Amino acid sequence: MTDNRLGLAGKFRYLAERARRIDIKSVAARAREVHEQHGAWTPKVFADMLWSAARHDVAFQDYVDYDFAILSKGERGTYMTHPVSMQLAARFARKDKRVLFENKIEFNKVFSDFLKRDWLVVESGNADAVRAFGERHGTFIAKVPVSHMGLGVRRYHASDVTDWDAFHRGLLERDELLLEEVISQHADLAAVCPGTVNTTRITAFFDGQEAHILAIAQKFGRGSVSDQMSYGGFYTMLHDDGRAFGAGYDSHGHVHETHPDTGFRIADFRLPFMDEVKAFIEQVARVVPEVQYVGWDVVVTPTGPVLVEGNWGAGVYENKPSVTGIRTGHKPRYRAAIGF
């Protein structure tokens, strides 16, 4: 296997930048949050958070989210963290190819065969095309080409538009340049939250021959246009066969045994079409092989998976032991596939 160990230079640069931007008040607030959750002595937690960040590449929020206060050193070592993920992303994404993932319009062009839905680019002079698109689909999604965390995404209804020329100008002014047909999700996903298209985040590494699935997180929305946490969403990790690890949770201290809006028990969820999803990732990972480490967002429809987007800065979704009772994370899978 190729030597993919993460270099010390990159780590030191990251630590230096973190040290320059550290917000002591924010760290202290997180330490108090840990104290409230687990009863750990706040000063000890504060010192441990700083040590874990400097020595073990553990982001302060990772420490909170993954319950490091109740884990042993060995258990902590099994958890993937955002700083390590960022180093992997920088190493395994060729710079000139990253724009294909950063810009949603470019992404749709490259991955058009895997979207399996209608889409349109808003341009000067195509108000008639926008109207035809809107009236054809009734409800549709508008996206800002470059955005993060689900921001810059809006849902429109053609029946609400009275002046399509004015609507078209508004799209251009707001930089909402990508229109997409709404995805029809599988009934098993709609049973949990019918008002949001609930995406599955599959983090994978393509080694040039095979796509290795490293972690699977199922996100659930709250009826908004996006299932991201910025819209009130939450997630649960999935086993390789699609079964949920347990209840859902987010980075704001909320735990959801059941979905707040439908009452669906999250631990009972199982993602359908898992074999097809795995085969799908094997396909999409080969389209841009110069970007090897990707967080793929897919939606399972009544006929199988479709692609929403790919994130070359894959981010981290991990198991929360105080919720699931499972005290280990996914880092060994990352190490086995990538070799760092």
Side-chain angles (χ1 to χ4, degrees):
M1 180 178 286
T2 303
D3 184 357
N4 287 332
R5 288 175 294 180
L6 299 176
L8 289 176
K11 178 176 179 177
F12 288 149
R13 283 194 299 270
Y14 175 80
L15 289 174
E17 178 63 18
R18 285 297 302 273
R20 185 181 68 82
R21 296 188 293 110
I22 189 170
D23 182 345
I24 294 298
K25 290 184 178 180
S26 177
V27 180
R30 286 182 170 90
R32 288 192 295 272
E33 182 179 348
V34 171
H35 166 74
E36 293 169 0
Q37 290 179 353
H38 304 296
W41 188 41
T42 302
K44 181 179 178 181
V45 171
F46 181 85
D48 193 29
M49 290 177 76
L50 293 175
W51 171 253
S52 297
R55 182 67 180 86
H56 298 293
D57 287 331
V58 179
F60 302 132
Q61 192 62 44
D62 291 341
Y63 189 104
V64 179
D65 287 345
Y66 311 142
D67 299 326
F68 270 36
I70 65 172
L71 299 182
S72 68
K73 179 180 178 181
E75 290 167 340
R76 292 181 179 189
T78 68
Y79 275 78
M80 192 63 185
T81 65
H82 281 84
V84 174
S85 181
M86 290 173 66
Q87 293 174 61
L88 292 173
R91 177 160 186 173
F92 293 107
R94 212 172 80 184
K95 290 184 177 180
D96 64 325
K97 296 293 184 177
R98 294 176 187 177
V99 67
L100 302 180
F101 293 80
E102 294 168 343
N103 186 297
K104 292 177 173 58
I105 293 175
E106 296 304 315
F107 183 86
N108 277 21
K109 292 176 181 178
V110 173
F111 290 91
S112 59
D113 290 344
F114 302 96
L115 304 179
K116 302 180 182 180
R117 61 188 178 278
D118 195 11
W119 59 281
L120 175 73
V121 178
V122 181
E123 302 170 319
S124 297
N126 73 340
D128 289 342
V130 167
R131 177 174 184 167
F133 183 94
E135 293 181 340
R136 181 163 65 250
H137 297 294
T139 300
F140 54 98
I141 304 298
K143 298 180 179 180
V144 173
V146 180
S147 64
H148 304 282
M149 300 184 297
L151 303 176
V153 179
R154 295 183 68 178
R155 183 165 49 198
Y156 290 104
H157 305 284
S159 59
D160 294 333
V161 180
T162 57
D163 185 333
W164 284 96
D165 287 331
F167 180 74
H168 178 263
R169 287 195 300 272
L171 292 174
L172 292 172
E173 291 168 358
R174 293 186 298 273
D175 199 37
E176 296 172 356
L177 304 183
L178 177 62
L179 304 185
E180 292 187 346
E181 175 186 0
V182 176
I183 298 170
S184 297
Q185 63 187 338
H186 193 282
D188 289 357
L189 287 161
V192 186
C193 177
T196 301
V197 176
N198 304 289
T199 61
T200 307
R201 167 62 64 90
I202 302 175
T203 306
F205 179 78
F206 181 60
D207 65 9
Q209 296 182 325
E210 180 182 355
H212 302 268
I213 294 179
L214 310 175
I216 310 172
Q218 180 59 52
K219 295 182 279 186
F220 296 111
R222 295 294 309 280
S224 297
V225 68
S226 171
D227 57 14
Q228 294 280 34
M229 292 184 200
S230 52
Y231 289 83
F234 59 92
Y235 72 96
T236 186
M237 301 305 295
L238 301 183
H239 294 282
D240 287 341
D241 62 1
R243 291 178 298 115
F245 272 39
Y249 46 88
D250 59 23
S251 289
H252 307 295
H254 304 125
V255 176
H256 299 289
E257 293 286 344
T258 61
H259 193 283
D261 304 320
T262 62
F264 188 100
R265 187 172 180 268
I266 302 302
D268 292 339
F269 178 78
R270 184 166 187 162
L271 187 70
F273 287 119
M274 273 306 302
D275 289 342
E276 289 83 353
V277 168
K278 293 173 184 177
F280 189 72
I281 296 300
E282 191 71 51
Q283 290 180 293
V284 298
R286 298 170 183 274
V287 177
V288 186
E290 299 87 351
V291 180
Q292 298 172 258
Y293 175 60
V294 179
W296 302 99
D297 283 342
V298 305
V299 173
V300 174
T301 74
T303 57
V306 302
L307 187 60
V308 177
E309 65 180 20
N311 302 270
W312 75 265
V316 176
Y317 291 81
E318 264 289 14
N319 169 53
K320 189 172 182 66
S322 64
V323 173
T324 66
I326 302 170
R327 299 174 67 94
T328 53
H330 290 75
K331 196 171 185 178
R333 295 173 62 122
Y334 285 70
R335 288 190 182 280
I338 304 174
F340 66 93

